[in-house]
Amino acid sequence: VQLQASGGGLVQPGGSLRLSCAASGRIFAIGTMGWYRQAPGKQRELVATITRGGSTNYADSVKGRFTISRDNAKNSVHLQMNSLKPEDTAVYYCNADQIYSPTYYPTLWGQGTQVTVSS
């Protein structure tokens, strides 16, 4: 089982990007999925999470600007990022907890995708 993230890039301040992450492999169910980010010289921080039932949690810094969603049938999670600011620049990582497949995974991380907000 792997997580594959996509959708990063360069955007001007005030612009939008949509990140996507899909789990591949034979998967029966996934618990909480989420996005984290790590800026240069800083620790990785939570951006947003969403439970299997759809309950969401956001970092205060992105509330009202970012929206997390998921498709349980496709084992995917998305992050719609609007009104982007330079301080949103970071490598964004998707995460999935409690992955039930022929092998149980407590947690998995996808490869990072770079988001750069700059004029």
Side-chain angles (χ1 to χ4, degrees), residues 14-119:
S16 298
L17 279 176
R18 179 177 170 85
L19 305 183
S20 295
C21 177
S24 62
R26 187 181 175 199
I27 298 169
F28 305 135
I30 299 176
T32 298
M33 302 184 79
W35 291 93
Y36 293 72
R37 66 187 181 187
Q38 187 167 19
K42 294 187 177 181
Q43 290 187 332
R44 189 174 298 188
E45 63 177 4
L46 179 147
V47 176
T49 61
I50 183 167
T51 67
R52 183 170 180 80
S55 296
T56 58
N57 180 48
Y58 294 93
D60 287 343
S61 59
V62 307
K63 283 180 181 177
R65 300 188 298 121
F66 291 10
T67 302
I68 190 170
S69 61
R70 67 186 284 173
D71 184 333
N72 290 333
K74 295 182 179 179
N75 296 314
S76 61
V77 62
H78 311 279
L79 186 68
Q80 178 66 42
M81 304 185 294
N82 298 328
S83 302
L84 282 160
K85 304 176 181 179
E87 51 263 44
D88 294 317
T89 295
V91 178
Y92 284 69
Y93 298 90
C94 64
N95 171 265
D97 289 339
Q98 297 178 321
I99 301 103
Y100 293 89
S101 73
T103 299
Y104 173 74
Y105 299 88
T107 190
L108 279 178
W109 290 91
Q111 92 288 3
T113 184
Q114 178 71 45
V115 172
T116 302
V117 185
S118 175
S119 55

